[in-house]
Structure formats: structure tokens, C-alpha cells
Amino acid sequence: PNNTFETAWPITMPQGVSTFNLPNLKACTTIANDDFFKIDVPSYTHIKVDITFTMKCDPSNVTCKDPGDLDLYLYDSNKQLLSNPAVEGTSSSDNETVNYKNFSNTLKTIYVKIDGYNQSTNTYTLNVAFSCAEDDKEENDTYSSATILPDGIEKGPFVVCATDVDWFRLPEVSMSDDIKVTVSFDHSKGDVNAYLYLIGPGGTPSTPVAIGETTANNEVLEITNANQGFYYLKVITTSTYNGYTVTADI
């Protein structure tokens, strides 16, 4: 049985697989028969968990239990309820969905609990999808929507996805200033490349004035005696995704 945190059924995504489902599960009428699942969420990963079911009992009818309403909850590794609308599925309709994003650079463990509302019973399918966790600076996918960086302050962490491009604008550069941009990341979790462009009013990115495409943990782009204007940083990954920070020194 998987009716406690200690006996939670472990879910680990196989290599190369982003979604899977477990059909024909059943939540029963007593608290002792709640269903628990344990999910290890890799760094910079978004998971979407949903349960699909059909209920015929009106949740307001306390005597009707089967097939009834089911609820879905997420807990952290300390078995504390994650209580915000993104991680609670407690509607009074069919199906429930919760989301969780791990923005850290370490794996995190969470628990999923499914129970019957008012001790209802129903069968359900558990669906789990793993994807890149976009950061809260999206959508900065074009230079015209670039995130503005301060001078000399490390910012982040940000997350760049394989299907994504992140753009940043440096503070305005005066003639003959020196520029140093550091993009810091753990290369073992995925390669990150960086490109610096000088874009004038009404212009568009053409040839980068500095390129960072090494296989090191960090990419450092430097320009001495720079031309005046606004410089834009483009960050991409050649892997599935990775997290990083940016420091722009002018």
C-alpha cells in the first residue's frame, strides 16, 4: 500500500521520457487509504501533476460517496503542505491539476497526495509531465523585450530552455568604457552559451561583438574601450535546460 508518506510510491522519469501516466488507480473512503506518491524533481524543472476522473456524486450530497470527488495536494520533503493555488487541486469538478517548479540547482523531493473529498471513493488516472521551468523574467525571448541588468550586481538565477532564448540589456555604455559580462552556471548540468551585441536605435542584432562558447562552467565576455551605446546579451543552451546568473560590470 502507498497510504503514508513513508510508503509513497516513487516516481522517477526514465531518461528521454517527459510524460507518463498510471491508469486505473483507486482512492478509497477512509483517510487510511489516501494515496501517496514521491517525486524527485531535477533542478530547473517544472512538473505538472494531474488526476483525471469522473464523478457522479454531487459534492454537496454528503451521503453519496462513489463515484465521488477527489482532491490533489503537494507536500515538500519535510512533509509540509505546499499551500498556494498552484499546488492544490481542490475544486468540486472532475479532474484536478497542480504545478511545481524547482528553480534551485539541486534535486528536490516532493510528495503527491490524493484523497476523496468527504471520504469519497473513485478511480482515477495519475498523469505527470516534466518540462523546463521557465523563470519569472519570461517573456524576454527577444532583444526588444530584454530584461534590464544593473551595473555590478549578480542577478538570477535565471533558467534557459532548449526552445528558449533569453535577452538582457546592459546599462548604457559610454565611449571607451570597459565591459565585462559573466554568465555563471554548472556545465555538468548543461552547456550555456552567451553573445553580446551592440544595437543602435532602430537596429537589430547582427554580428555579436563578443562570444562565449566554451565548455567551462562560466562564460566571460569582455570588451575594452567599447563604443558608446546599448549592449544586449543573448543566452542560449545547447542542452535541455540549465540555470545561470549574470553579472554585468561597466
Side-chain angles (χ1 to χ4, degrees), residues 12-151:
T12 303
M13 294 301 293
Q15 185 69 30
V17 175
S18 59
T19 61
F20 76 99
N21 63 76
L22 296 171
N24 301 318
L25 304 175
K26 188 167 186 176
C28 297
T29 58
T30 64
I31 295 175
N33 283 309
D34 291 343
D35 288 348
F36 287 83
F37 300 86
K38 177 182 176 181
I39 304 178
D40 289 332
V41 184
S43 57
Y44 310 116
T45 298
H46 167 219
I47 68 163
K48 176 184 176 183
V49 181
D50 65 65
I51 54 174
T52 55
F53 60 93
T54 301
M55 64 176 178
K56 296 182 180 178
C57 292
D58 185 334
S60 64
N61 183 353
V62 296
T63 62
C64 184
K65 305 289 187 182
D66 186 8
D69 188 22
L70 301 181
D71 290 332
L72 174 62
Y73 303 90
L74 290 188
Y75 292 78
D76 65 18
S77 59
N78 295 317
K79 304 168 188 174
Q80 298 298 307
L81 179 65
L82 296 170
S83 54
N84 68 62
V87 292
E88 288 185 15
T90 56
S91 74
S92 57
S93 59
D94 291 349
N95 310 327
E96 300 291 352
T97 299
V98 295
N99 291 272
Y100 175 83
K101 291 184 178 181
N102 178 10
F103 282 123
S104 75
N105 62 358
T106 59
L107 180 144
K108 290 194 179 288
T109 297
I110 65 169
Y111 293 90
V112 177
K113 184 180 84 169
I114 295 97
D115 68 13
Y117 174 74
N118 197 26
Q119 299 187 6
S120 293
T121 295
N122 209 335
T123 57
Y124 67 95
T125 295
L126 175 69
N127 307 287
V128 182
F130 286 58
S131 61
C132 177
E134 291 189 338
D135 57 59
D136 60 4
K137 297 303 180 183
E138 296 294 341
E139 300 285 336
N140 62 338
D141 299 335
T142 65
Y143 75 94
S144 59
S145 59
T147 299
I148 299 175
L149 294 171
D151 185 8

